[in-house]
Amino acid sequence: MVSAALSSTRRAAGPSIVAAFVLVAAQSVAQAQIVALVNGDPITALDITHRTKLLQLSTQKRLAPEVLDELIDDRLKVQIGKRYIADVPKREIETAYASIARRAA
């Protein structure tokens, strides 16, 4: 009897688990949508969302087109830097991010 109830519960939960997985997968695909290409380097909707949140944390209010323009500028700077400048040490990058985090807190 317990086995039948457990089996019935599993059958009922199965479709909702699949639906949840499909919903999460759909959100991932939507966020992975490429919004712009900068010399072959993609900028996704998720990149824009993350940058917008970062700017909101630093109290700079910006609109989505401004955020996209800033991301494009950043990608171009990185590409030019890779072309003409030696790699930046990982420690220097981590220090810069830590500094931003301290100012945002």
Side-chain angles (χ1 to χ4, degrees):
M1 186 157 253
V2 172
S3 175
L6 188 57
S7 178
S8 167
T9 303
R10 284 184 185 157
R11 274 185 261 135
S16 55
I17 291 171
V18 170
F21 179 75
V22 169
L23 180 61
V24 169
Q27 286 177 335
S28 297
V29 169
Q31 290 179 339
Q33 177 184 6
I34 296 174
V35 176
L37 282 174
V38 180
N39 296 328
D41 192 11
I43 295 176
T44 65
L46 184 60
D47 293 330
I48 293 174
T49 300
H50 287 167
R51 179 60 62 97
T52 302
K53 288 179 183 178
L54 176 65
L55 292 172
Q56 287 172 346
L57 285 174
S58 65
T59 68
Q60 297 176 4
K61 295 186 179 189
R62 300 208 179 175
L63 302 174
E66 293 172 336
V67 172
L68 179 58
D69 288 342
E70 186 175 308
L71 282 167
I72 290 171
D73 290 344
D74 288 350
R75 295 288 165 96
L76 288 169
K77 289 174 189 175
V78 168
Q79 290 173 3
I80 291 170
K82 285 181 180 177
R83 192 177 311 150
Y84 297 108
I85 302 172
D87 288 334
V88 177
K90 187 175 182 179
R91 176 170 280 163
E92 191 173 326
I93 294 170
E94 290 171 353
T95 302
Y97 276 119
S99 174
I100 292 170
R102 278 193 303 276
R103 284 184 272 155

Coordinates of all heavy atoms in Angstrom, one line a residue:
M1 N 0.8 -1.2 0.0 CA 0.0 0.0 0.0 C 0.9 1.3 0.0 O 0.6 2.2 -0.8 CB -0.9 0.0 1.2 CG -1.9 1.1 1.2 SD -3.3 0.7 2.2 CE -4.5 0.3 1.0
V2 N 1.9 1.3 0.9 CA 2.8 2.4 0.9 C 3.5 2.5 -0.4 O 3.8 3.6 -1.0 CB 3.8 2.3 2.1 CG1 4.9 3.3 2.0 CG2 3.1 2.3 3.4
S3 N 3.9 1.4 -1.0 CA 4.6 1.4 -2.3 C 3.7 2.0 -3.4 O 4.2 2.7 -4.2 CB 5.0 -0.1 -2.6 OG 5.5 -0.1 -3.9
A4 N 2.4 1.7 -3.4 CA 1.5 2.2 -4.4 C 1.4 3.7 -4.2 O 1.4 4.4 -5.2 CB 0.2 1.5 -4.3
A5 N 1.3 4.2 -3.0 CA 1.2 5.6 -2.8 C 2.5 6.3 -3.2 O 2.4 7.4 -3.8 CB 0.9 5.9 -1.3
L6 N 3.6 5.7 -2.9 CA 4.9 6.3 -3.3 C 5.0 6.4 -4.8 O 5.4 7.4 -5.4 CB 6.0 5.5 -2.7 CG 7.4 6.1 -2.8 CD1 7.5 7.5 -2.3 CD2 8.5 5.2 -2.2
S7 N 4.6 5.3 -5.5 CA 4.7 5.3 -6.9 C 3.7 6.3 -7.5 O 4.1 7.0 -8.5 CB 4.3 3.9 -7.4 OG 4.3 3.8 -8.8
S8 N 2.6 6.5 -7.0 CA 1.6 7.5 -7.4 C 2.2 8.9 -7.3 O 2.0 9.7 -8.1 CB 0.3 7.3 -6.6 OG -0.5 8.4 -6.9
T9 N 2.8 9.1 -6.1 CA 3.4 10.4 -5.9 C 4.6 10.7 -6.9 O 4.7 11.8 -7.4 CB 4.0 10.5 -4.5 OG1 2.9 10.2 -3.5 CG2 4.6 11.9 -4.1
R10 N 5.4 9.7 -7.2 CA 6.4 9.9 -8.2 C 5.9 10.2 -9.5 O 6.4 11.1 -10.2 CB 7.3 8.6 -8.2 CG 8.2 8.5 -7.1 CD 9.1 7.3 -7.2 NE 9.9 7.1 -6.1 CZ 10.4 5.9 -5.7 NH1 10.2 4.9 -6.5 NH2 11.2 5.8 -4.6
R11 N 4.8 9.5 -9.9 CA 4.2 9.8 -11.2 C 3.6 11.2 -11.3 O 3.7 11.9 -12.3 CB 3.1 8.8 -11.5 CG 3.7 7.5 -12.2 CD 2.6 6.6 -12.6 NE 2.5 5.6 -11.5 CZ 1.4 5.1 -11.0 NH1 0.3 5.5 -11.4 NH2 1.5 4.2 -10.0
A12 N 3.1 11.7 -10.2 CA 2.5 13.0 -10.2 C 3.6 14.1 -10.2 O 3.4 15.2 -10.7 CB 1.6 13.2 -8.9
A13 N 4.7 13.8 -9.5 CA 5.8 14.8 -9.4 C 6.6 14.9 -10.7 O 7.2 15.9 -11.0 CB 6.7 14.5 -8.2
G14 N 6.6 13.8 -11.5 CA 7.5 13.7 -12.7 C 7.2 14.9 -13.6 O 8.1 15.6 -14.0
P15 N 5.9 15.1 -14.0 CA 5.7 16.2 -15.0 C 6.1 17.6 -14.4 O 6.6 18.4 -15.2 CB 4.2 16.1 -15.2 CG 3.8 14.7 -14.9 CD 4.7 14.3 -13.8
S16 N 5.9 17.8 -13.1 CA 6.2 19.1 -12.6 C 7.8 19.3 -12.6 O 8.3 20.4 -12.7 CB 5.6 19.3 -11.2 OG 6.0 18.3 -10.3
I17 N 8.5 18.2 -12.3 CA 10.0 18.3 -12.4 C 10.4 18.6 -13.8 O 11.3 19.5 -14.0 CB 10.6 17.0 -11.8 CG1 10.4 16.9 -10.3 CG2 12.1 17.0 -12.1 CD1 10.8 15.6 -9.8
V18 N 9.8 18.0 -14.8 CA 10.2 18.2 -16.2 C 9.8 19.7 -16.5 O 10.6 20.4 -17.2 CB 9.4 17.2 -17.1 CG1 9.6 17.6 -18.5 CG2 10.0 15.8 -16.9
A19 N 8.6 20.1 -16.1 CA 8.2 21.5 -16.4 C 9.2 22.5 -15.8 O 9.6 23.5 -16.4 CB 6.8 21.8 -15.9
A20 N 9.6 22.3 -14.6 CA 10.6 23.2 -13.9 C 11.9 23.2 -14.7 O 12.5 24.2 -14.9 CB 10.8 22.7 -12.5
F21 N 12.4 22.0 -15.1 CA 13.6 21.9 -15.9 C 13.5 22.7 -17.2 O 14.4 23.4 -17.6 CB 14.0 20.5 -16.2 CG 15.2 20.3 -17.0 CD1 16.5 20.5 -16.4 CD2 15.1 20.0 -18.3 CE1 17.6 20.4 -17.2 CE2 16.3 19.9 -19.1 CZ 17.5 20.1 -18.5
V22 N 12.4 22.6 -17.9 CA 12.1 23.3 -19.2 C 12.1 24.8 -18.9 O 12.7 25.5 -19.7 CB 10.8 22.8 -19.8 CG1 10.4 23.7 -21.0 CG2 11.0 21.3 -20.3
L23 N 11.5 25.2 -17.8 CA 11.4 26.6 -17.5 C 12.8 27.2 -17.3 O 13.2 28.2 -17.8 CB 10.6 26.9 -16.3 CG 10.4 28.3 -15.8 CD1 9.8 29.2 -17.0 CD2 9.6 28.4 -14.6
V24 N 13.6 26.5 -16.5 CA 15.0 26.9 -16.2 C 15.8 26.9 -17.5 O 16.6 27.9 -17.8 CB 15.7 26.0 -15.1 CG1 17.2 26.3 -15.0 CG2 15.0 26.2 -13.8
A25 N 15.7 25.9 -18.3 CA 16.4 25.8 -19.6 C 16.0 27.0 -20.5 O 16.9 27.6 -21.2 CB 16.2 24.5 -20.3
A26 N 14.7 27.3 -20.5 CA 14.2 28.4 -21.4 C 14.8 29.7 -20.9 O 15.2 30.6 -21.7 CB 12.7 28.5 -21.4
Q27 N 14.9 29.9 -19.6 CA 15.5 31.2 -19.1 C 17.0 31.3 -19.4 O 17.5 32.3 -19.8 CB 15.3 31.2 -17.5 CG 13.9 31.5 -17.1 CD 13.8 31.5 -15.6 OE1 14.6 30.8 -14.9 NE2 12.8 32.2 -15.1
S28 N 17.7 30.1 -19.3 CA 19.1 30.1 -19.7 C 19.3 30.5 -21.1 O 20.2 31.2 -21.5 CB 19.7 28.7 -19.4 OG 19.6 28.5 -18.0
V29 N 18.5 29.9 -22.0 CA 18.6 30.2 -23.4 C 18.3 31.7 -23.7 O 19.0 32.3 -24.5 CB 17.6 29.3 -24.3 CG1 17.5 29.8 -25.7 CG2 18.1 27.9 -24.2
A30 N 17.3 32.2 -23.0 CA 16.9 33.6 -23.2 C 18.1 34.5 -22.8 O 18.4 35.5 -23.4 CB 15.6 34.0 -22.5
Q31 N 18.7 34.2 -21.6 CA 19.8 35.0 -21.1 C 21.0 34.8 -22.0 O 21.9 35.7 -22.0 CB 20.0 34.7 -19.7 CG 18.9 35.2 -18.8 CD 19.1 34.8 -17.3 OE1 19.9 33.9 -17.0 NE2 18.5 35.5 -16.5
A32 N 21.2 33.7 -22.6 CA 22.4 33.5 -23.5 C 22.2 34.1 -24.8 O 23.1 34.0 -25.7 CB 22.6 32.0 -23.5
Q33 N 21.1 34.7 -25.1 CA 20.8 35.3 -26.4 C 21.8 36.4 -26.7 O 22.1 37.3 -25.9 CB 19.4 35.9 -26.4 CG 19.1 36.6 -27.7 CD 17.7 37.3 -27.6 OE1 17.1 37.3 -26.6 NE2 17.3 37.9 -28.7
I34 N 22.4 36.3 -27.8 CA 23.5 37.2 -28.2 C 22.8 38.5 -28.7 O 21.9 38.5 -29.5 CB 24.4 36.7 -29.3 CG1 25.1 35.5 -28.8 CG2 25.3 37.7 -29.9 CD1 25.9 34.7 -29.9
V35 N 23.2 39.6 -28.0 CA 22.6 40.9 -28.3 C 23.5 41.7 -29.3 O 23.0 42.4 -30.1 CB 22.4 41.7 -27.0 CG1 21.9 43.1 -27.3 CG2 21.5 41.0 -26.1
A36 N 24.8 41.5 -29.2 CA 25.7 42.2 -30.1 C 27.0 41.4 -30.2 O 27.3 40.6 -29.4 CB 26.1 43.6 -29.5
L37 N 27.7 41.6 -31.3 CA 29.0 41.0 -31.6 C 30.0 42.1 -31.7 O 29.8 43.1 -32.5 CB 29.0 40.1 -32.8 CG 28.3 38.8 -32.7 CD1 28.2 38.1 -34.1 CD2 29.1 37.9 -31.8
V38 N 31.1 42.0 -31.0 CA 32.2 42.9 -31.1 C 33.4 42.2 -31.7 O 34.1 41.5 -31.0 CB 32.5 43.6 -29.8 CG1 33.7 44.6 -29.9 CG2 31.3 44.2 -29.1
N39 N 33.6 42.4 -33.0 CA 34.7 41.6 -33.7 C 34.6 40.1 -33.4 O 35.6 39.5 -33.1 CB 36.1 42.2 -33.3 CG 36.2 43.6 -33.7 OD1 35.7 44.0 -34.8 ND2 36.9 44.4 -33.0
G40 N 33.4 39.6 -33.4 CA 33.3 38.2 -33.2 C 33.1 37.8 -31.7 O 32.8 36.6 -31.4
D41 N 33.3 38.7 -30.8 CA 33.1 38.5 -29.4 C 31.7 38.8 -29.0 O 31.3 39.9 -29.1 CB 34.1 39.3 -28.6 CG 34.3 38.9 -27.2 OD1 33.8 37.8 -26.8 OD2 34.9 39.7 -26.4
P42 N 30.9 37.8 -28.5 CA 29.5 38.1 -28.2 C 29.2 38.8 -26.9 O 30.0 38.7 -25.9 CB 28.9 36.7 -28.1 CG 30.0 35.8 -27.7 CD 31.2 36.4 -28.3
I43 N 28.2 39.6 -26.9 CA 27.6 40.2 -25.7 C 26.2 39.7 -25.6 O 25.4 39.8 -26.5 CB 27.6 41.8 -25.8 CG1 29.0 42.3 -25.9 CG2 26.9 42.4 -24.6 CD1 29.1 43.8 -26.1
T44 N 26.0 39.0 -24.5 CA 24.7 38.4 -24.3 C 23.7 39.2 -23.4 O 24.2 40.2 -22.8 CB 24.8 37.0 -23.6 OG1 25.3 37.2 -22.3 CG2 25.7 36.1 -24.4
A45 N 22.5 38.8 -23.4 CA 21.5 39.5 -22.6 C 21.9 39.4 -21.1 O 21.7 40.3 -20.3 CB 20.1 38.9 -22.8
L46 N 22.5 38.2 -20.8 CA 23.0 38.0 -19.4 C 24.1 39.0 -19.0 O 24.2 39.5 -17.9 CB 23.4 36.6 -19.2 CG 23.9 36.1 -17.8 CD1 22.7 36.3 -16.8 CD2 24.3 34.7 -17.8
D47 N 25.0 39.3 -20.0 CA 26.1 40.2 -19.8 C 25.5 41.6 -19.4 O 25.9 42.3 -18.5 CB 27.0 40.4 -21.0 CG 27.8 39.1 -21.3 OD1 28.1 38.4 -20.3 OD2 28.1 38.9 -22.5
I48 N 24.4 42.0 -20.2 CA 23.8 43.3 -19.9 C 23.1 43.3 -18.6 O 23.2 44.3 -17.8 CB 22.8 43.6 -21.1 CG1 23.5 43.8 -22.4 CG2 21.9 44.8 -20.7 CD1 22.7 44.0 -23.6
T49 N 22.5 42.2 -18.2 CA 21.8 42.1 -16.9 C 22.8 42.3 -15.8 O 22.6 43.0 -14.8 CB 21.1 40.8 -16.8 OG1 20.1 40.7 -17.8 CG2 20.4 40.7 -15.4
H50 N 23.9 41.5 -15.9 CA 25.0 41.6 -14.9 C 25.6 43.0 -14.8 O 25.8 43.5 -13.7 CB 26.1 40.6 -15.1 CG 25.7 39.2 -14.8 ND1 26.4 38.1 -15.2 CD2 24.6 38.7 -14.2 CE1 25.8 37.0 -14.9 NE2 24.7 37.3 -14.2
R51 N 25.9 43.6 -15.9 CA 26.4 45.0 -15.9 C 25.5 46.0 -15.3 O 25.8 46.9 -14.5 CB 26.9 45.4 -17.3 CG 27.5 46.8 -17.4 CD 28.7 46.9 -16.5 NE 29.8 46.1 -17.0 CZ 30.8 46.4 -17.8 NH1 30.8 47.6 -18.3 NH2 31.7 45.5 -18.1
T52 N 24.2 45.8 -15.6 CA 23.2 46.7 -15.1 C 23.1 46.6 -13.6 O 23.0 47.6 -12.9 CB 21.8 46.4 -15.7 OG1 21.9 46.6 -17.1 CG2 20.7 47.4 -15.2
K53 N 23.1 45.4 -13.1 CA 23.1 45.2 -11.6 C 24.3 45.8 -11.0 O 24.3 46.4 -9.9 CB 23.0 43.7 -11.3 CG 21.6 43.2 -11.5 CD 21.5 41.7 -11.2 CE 20.2 41.1 -11.6 NZ 20.1 39.7 -11.3
L54 N 25.5 45.6 -11.6 CA 26.7 46.2 -11.1 C 26.6 47.7 -11.0 O 27.0 48.4 -10.0 CB 27.9 45.8 -11.9 CG 29.3 46.4 -11.5 CD1 29.7 45.9 -10.1 CD2 30.3 46.0 -12.5
L55 N 26.1 48.3 -12.0 CA 26.0 49.8 -12.1 C 25.0 50.3 -11.1 O 25.1 51.3 -10.5 CB 25.6 50.3 -13.5 CG 26.7 50.1 -14.5 CD1 26.2 50.4 -15.9 CD2 27.9 50.9 -14.2
Q56 N 23.9 49.5 -10.8 CA 22.9 49.9 -9.8 C 23.5 49.8 -8.4 O 23.3 50.7 -7.6 CB 21.7 49.0 -9.9 CG 20.8 49.3 -11.1 CD 19.7 48.3 -11.3 OE1 19.7 47.2 -10.7 NE2 18.7 48.6 -12.1
L57 N 24.4 48.8 -8.2 CA 25.1 48.7 -6.9 C 26.0 49.9 -6.7 O 26.2 50.3 -5.5 CB 25.9 47.4 -6.8 CG 25.1 46.2 -6.6 CD1 26.0 44.9 -6.7 CD2 24.4 46.2 -5.3
S58 N 26.6 50.4 -7.7 CA 27.5 51.5 -7.6 C 26.7 52.9 -7.7 O 27.4 53.9 -7.9 CB 28.6 51.5 -8.6 OG 28.1 51.6 -9.9
T59 N 25.4 52.8 -7.6 CA 24.5 54.0 -7.6 C 24.5 54.8 -8.9 O 24.0 55.9 -8.9 CB 24.8 54.9 -6.4 OG1 26.0 55.6 -6.6 CG2 24.7 54.2 -5.1
Q60 N 25.1 54.3 -9.9 CA 25.0 54.9 -11.2 C 23.8 54.4 -12.0 O 23.8 53.2 -12.3 CB 26.2 54.7 -12.1 CG 27.5 55.3 -11.4 CD 28.7 54.9 -12.3 OE1 28.6 54.3 -13.3 NE2 29.8 55.3 -11.8
K61 N 22.8 55.2 -12.2 CA 21.6 54.7 -12.9 C 21.8 54.9 -14.4 O 22.1 56.0 -14.9 CB 20.3 55.4 -12.4 CG 20.1 55.1 -10.9 CD 18.8 55.7 -10.5 CE 18.6 55.3 -9.0 NZ 17.3 55.6 -8.5
R62 N 21.6 53.8 -15.2 CA 21.8 53.9 -16.6 C 20.7 53.1 -17.3 O 20.2 52.1 -16.7 CB 23.2 53.3 -17.0 CG 24.3 54.0 -16.4 CD 25.5 54.0 -17.2 NE 26.6 54.7 -16.5 CZ 27.8 54.8 -17.0 NH1 28.1 54.1 -18.0 NH2 28.7 55.5 -16.4
L63 N 20.5 53.4 -18.5 CA 19.5 52.7 -19.3 C 20.2 51.6 -20.1 O 21.4 51.6 -20.3 CB 18.8 53.7 -20.3 CG 18.1 54.9 -19.7 CD1 17.6 55.8 -20.7 CD2 16.9 54.4 -18.8
A64 N 19.4 50.6 -20.5 CA 19.9 49.4 -21.2 C 20.8 49.8 -22.4 O 21.9 49.2 -22.6 CB 18.8 48.5 -21.6
P65 N 20.4 50.8 -23.3 CA 21.3 51.1 -24.4 C 22.6 51.7 -24.0 O 23.7 51.4 -24.6 CB 20.5 52.2 -25.2 CG 19.1 52.0 -24.8 CD 19.1 51.5 -23.4
E66 N 22.7 52.4 -22.9 CA 23.9 52.9 -22.4 C 24.8 51.8 -21.8 O 26.0 51.8 -22.0 CB 23.7 53.9 -21.2 CG 23.0 55.2 -21.7 CD 22.6 56.1 -20.6 OE1 22.4 55.6 -19.4 OE2 22.5 57.3 -20.8
V67 N 24.2 50.8 -21.2 CA 24.9 49.6 -20.7 C 25.5 48.9 -21.9 O 26.7 48.5 -21.8 CB 24.0 48.7 -19.8 CG1 24.7 47.4 -19.5 CG2 23.5 49.5 -18.6
L68 N 24.7 48.7 -22.9 CA 25.2 47.9 -24.1 C 26.4 48.7 -24.7 O 27.4 48.1 -25.1 CB 24.1 47.7 -25.1 CG 24.5 47.0 -26.4 CD1 25.1 45.6 -26.1 CD2 23.4 46.9 -27.4
D69 N 26.3 50.0 -24.8 CA 27.4 50.8 -25.4 C 28.6 50.6 -24.5 O 29.8 50.5 -25.0 CB 27.0 52.3 -25.5 CG 26.0 52.6 -26.6 OD1 25.9 51.7 -27.5 OD2 25.4 53.6 -26.5
E70 N 28.5 50.7 -23.2 CA 29.6 50.5 -22.3 C 30.2 49.1 -22.4 O 31.5 49.0 -22.4 CB 29.2 50.7 -20.8 CG 30.3 50.7 -19.9 CD 29.9 51.1 -18.5 OE1 29.2 52.1 -18.3 OE2 30.2 50.3 -17.6
L71 N 29.4 48.1 -22.6 CA 29.9 46.7 -22.8 C 30.7 46.6 -24.1 O 31.8 46.0 -24.1 CB 28.8 45.7 -22.7 CG 28.3 45.3 -21.3 CD1 27.0 44.6 -21.4 CD2 29.3 44.5 -20.6
I72 N 30.2 47.2 -25.1 CA 30.9 47.2 -26.4 C 32.2 47.9 -26.3 O 33.3 47.4 -26.7 CB 30.0 47.9 -27.5 CG1 28.8 47.0 -27.8 CG2 30.8 48.1 -28.8 CD1 27.8 47.6 -28.7
D73 N 32.2 49.1 -25.6 CA 33.5 49.8 -25.4 C 34.5 48.9 -24.6 O 35.7 48.9 -25.0 CB 33.3 51.1 -24.7 CG 32.6 52.1 -25.5 OD1 32.5 52.0 -26.8 OD2 32.1 53.1 -24.9
D74 N 34.0 48.3 -23.6 CA 34.9 47.4 -22.8 C 35.5 46.3 -23.6 O 36.7 45.9 -23.5 CB 34.1 46.8 -21.6 CG 33.9 47.9 -20.5 OD1 34.4 49.0 -20.6 OD2 33.1 47.6 -19.6
R75 N 34.6 45.6 -24.4 CA 35.1 44.5 -25.3 C 36.2 45.0 -26.3 O 37.2 44.4 -26.5 CB 34.0 43.9 -26.1 CG 33.0 43.2 -25.2 CD 33.5 41.9 -24.6 NE 32.7 41.4 -23.5 CZ 31.7 40.5 -23.6 NH1 31.5 39.9 -24.8 NH2 31.1 40.1 -22.5
L76 N 36.0 46.2 -26.8 CA 36.9 46.8 -27.8 C 38.3 47.0 -27.0 O 39.3 46.8 -27.6 CB 36.4 48.0 -28.4 CG 35.3 47.8 -29.5 CD1 34.7 49.1 -29.8 CD2 35.8 47.1 -30.7
K77 N 38.2 47.6 -25.8 CA 39.4 47.9 -25.1 C 40.2 46.6 -24.8 O 41.4 46.5 -24.9 CB 39.0 48.6 -23.8 CG 38.6 50.0 -24.0 CD 38.1 50.6 -22.6 CE 37.4 51.9 -22.8 NZ 36.8 52.5 -21.6
V78 N 39.4 45.5 -24.4 CA 40.1 44.3 -24.1 C 40.7 43.7 -25.3 O 41.9 43.2 -25.3 CB 39.1 43.3 -23.5 CG1 39.7 41.8 -23.4 CG2 38.6 43.7 -22.1
Q79 N 40.0 43.8 -26.5 CA 40.6 43.2 -27.7 C 41.8 44.0 -28.1 O 42.8 43.4 -28.5 CB 39.5 43.3 -28.8 CG 38.4 42.3 -28.6 CD 37.3 42.5 -29.6 OE1 37.4 43.3 -30.5 NE2 36.3 41.7 -29.5
I80 N 41.8 45.3 -28.0 CA 43.0 46.1 -28.4 C 44.1 45.8 -27.4 O 45.3 45.7 -27.8 CB 42.6 47.6 -28.4 CG1 41.7 47.9 -29.6 CG2 43.9 48.5 -28.4 CD1 41.1 49.3 -29.5
G81 N 43.8 45.7 -26.1 CA 44.8 45.4 -25.1 C 45.4 44.0 -25.4 O 46.7 43.9 -25.3
K82 N 44.7 43.1 -25.8 CA 45.3 41.7 -26.1 C 46.2 41.8 -27.3 O 47.2 41.1 -27.4 CB 44.1 40.7 -26.4 CG 43.5 40.2 -25.1 CD 42.4 39.2 -25.5 CE 41.7 38.7 -24.2 NZ 40.6 37.8 -24.6
R83 N 45.8 42.7 -28.2 CA 46.6 42.8 -29.5 C 47.9 43.6 -29.2 O 48.9 43.2 -29.8 CB 45.8 43.6 -30.5 CG 46.4 43.6 -31.9 CD 45.5 44.3 -32.9 NE 44.1 43.9 -32.8 CZ 43.1 44.6 -33.1 NH1 43.3 45.9 -33.6 NH2 41.8 44.2 -33.1
Y84 N 47.9 44.6 -28.4 CA 49.1 45.4 -28.2 C 49.8 45.3 -26.9 O 51.0 45.8 -26.8 CB 48.7 46.9 -28.5 CG 48.3 47.1 -29.9 CD1 46.9 47.3 -30.2 CD2 49.1 47.0 -31.0 CE1 46.5 47.5 -31.5 CE2 48.7 47.2 -32.3 CZ 47.4 47.5 -32.5 OH 46.9 47.6 -33.8
I85 N 49.2 44.8 -25.9 CA 49.8 44.8 -24.6 C 49.9 43.4 -24.1 O 49.0 42.5 -24.4 CB 48.9 45.6 -23.6 CG1 48.7 47.1 -24.1 CG2 49.5 45.6 -22.2 CD1 47.8 47.9 -23.3
A86 N 50.9 43.1 -23.3 CA 51.0 41.8 -22.7 C 49.9 41.5 -21.7 O 49.2 42.4 -21.2 CB 52.4 41.7 -21.9
D87 N 49.6 40.2 -21.4 CA 48.6 39.9 -20.5 C 48.7 40.5 -19.1 O 49.8 40.7 -18.6 CB 48.5 38.3 -20.3 CG 48.0 37.6 -21.5 OD1 47.3 38.2 -22.3 OD2 48.4 36.4 -21.7
V88 N 47.6 40.9 -18.6 CA 47.5 41.5 -17.2 C 47.6 40.4 -16.2 O 46.9 39.4 -16.3 CB 46.2 42.3 -17.0 CG1 46.2 42.9 -15.6 CG2 46.2 43.4 -18.1
P89 N 48.5 40.5 -15.2 CA 48.5 39.4 -14.2 C 47.2 39.2 -13.5 O 46.5 40.2 -13.2 CB 49.6 40.0 -13.2 CG 50.3 41.0 -14.0 CD 49.4 41.6 -15.0
K90 N 46.9 38.0 -13.2 CA 45.6 37.7 -12.5 C 45.5 38.4 -11.2 O 44.4 38.8 -10.9 CB 45.5 36.1 -12.3 CG 44.2 35.7 -11.9 CD 44.1 34.2 -11.8 CE 42.8 33.7 -11.3 NZ 42.6 32.3 -11.3
R91 N 46.5 38.5 -10.5 CA 46.5 39.2 -9.2 C 46.0 40.6 -9.3 O 45.3 41.2 -8.5 CB 47.9 39.1 -8.5 CG 47.9 39.9 -7.2 CD 49.1 39.7 -6.4 NE 48.9 38.4 -5.8 CZ 49.9 37.6 -5.3 NH1 51.1 38.0 -5.3 NH2 49.6 36.5 -4.7
E92 N 46.5 41.3 -10.4 CA 46.1 42.7 -10.6 C 44.6 42.8 -10.9 O 43.9 43.7 -10.4 CB 46.9 43.3 -11.8 CG 46.8 44.8 -11.9 CD 47.7 45.3 -13.0 OE1 48.8 44.8 -13.1 OE2 47.3 46.3 -13.7
I93 N 44.1 41.9 -11.7 CA 42.6 41.8 -12.0 C 41.8 41.6 -10.7 O 40.8 42.3 -10.4 CB 42.3 40.8 -13.0 CG1 43.0 41.1 -14.3 CG2 40.8 40.6 -13.2 CD1 42.9 40.1 -15.4
E94 N 42.3 40.6 -9.9 CA 41.6 40.4 -8.6 C 41.6 41.5 -7.7 O 40.6 41.8 -7.0 CB 42.2 39.1 -8.0 CG 41.9 37.8 -8.7 CD 42.7 36.6 -8.2 OE1 43.5 36.8 -7.3 OE2 42.4 35.5 -8.7
T95 N 42.7 42.3 -7.6 CA 42.8 43.5 -6.8 C 41.8 44.5 -7.3 O 41.2 45.2 -6.4 CB 44.3 44.0 -6.8 OG1 45.2 43.0 -6.4 CG2 44.4 45.2 -6.0
A96 N 41.7 44.7 -8.6 CA 40.8 45.7 -9.1 C 39.3 45.3 -8.7 O 38.6 46.2 -8.3 CB 40.9 45.8 -10.6
Y97 N 39.0 44.0 -8.9 CA 37.6 43.6 -8.5 C 37.4 43.8 -7.0 O 36.3 44.2 -6.6 CB 37.4 42.2 -8.9 CG 36.9 42.0 -10.4 CD1 37.7 41.3 -11.2 CD2 35.8 42.6 -10.8 CE1 37.3 41.1 -12.6 CE2 35.4 42.5 -12.2 CZ 36.2 41.7 -13.0 OH 35.8 41.6 -14.3
A98 N 38.4 43.5 -6.2 CA 38.2 43.7 -4.7 C 38.0 45.1 -4.4 O 37.2 45.5 -3.5 CB 39.4 43.1 -4.0
S99 N 38.7 46.0 -5.1 CA 38.5 47.4 -4.9 C 37.1 47.9 -5.2 O 36.5 48.7 -4.5 CB 39.6 48.2 -5.7 OG 39.3 49.6 -5.6
I100 N 36.6 47.4 -6.3 CA 35.2 47.7 -6.7 C 34.2 47.2 -5.7 O 33.3 47.9 -5.3 CB 34.9 47.2 -8.1 CG1 35.7 47.9 -9.2 CG2 33.4 47.3 -8.4 CD1 35.7 47.2 -10.6
A101 N 34.5 46.0 -5.2 CA 33.6 45.4 -4.2 C 33.6 46.2 -2.9 O 32.5 46.4 -2.3 CB 34.0 44.0 -3.9
R102 N 34.8 46.7 -2.5 CA 34.9 47.5 -1.3 C 34.1 48.8 -1.4 O 33.4 49.3 -0.5 CB 36.3 47.8 -0.9 CG 37.0 46.7 -0.2 CD 38.4 47.1 0.4 NE 39.3 47.7 -0.6 CZ 40.1 46.9 -1.4 NH1 40.1 45.6 -1.3 NH2 40.9 47.5 -2.3
R103 N 34.2 49.4 -2.6 CA 33.5 50.7 -2.8 C 32.0 50.5 -2.9 O 31.2 51.4 -2.5 CB 34.0 51.4 -4.1 CG 35.4 52.0 -3.9 CD 35.8 52.7 -5.1 NE 36.5 51.7 -5.9 CZ 36.6 51.8 -7.2 NH1 36.1 52.8 -7.9 NH2 37.3 50.9 -7.9
A104 N 31.5 49.4 -3.4 CA 30.1 49.1 -3.5 C 29.5 48.7 -2.2 O 28.3 48.9 -2.0 CB 29.9 48.0 -4.5
A105 N 30.3 48.3 -1.2 CA 29.7 47.8 0.1 C 29.4 49.0 1.0 O 29.6 50.1 0.9 CB 30.7 46.9 0.7

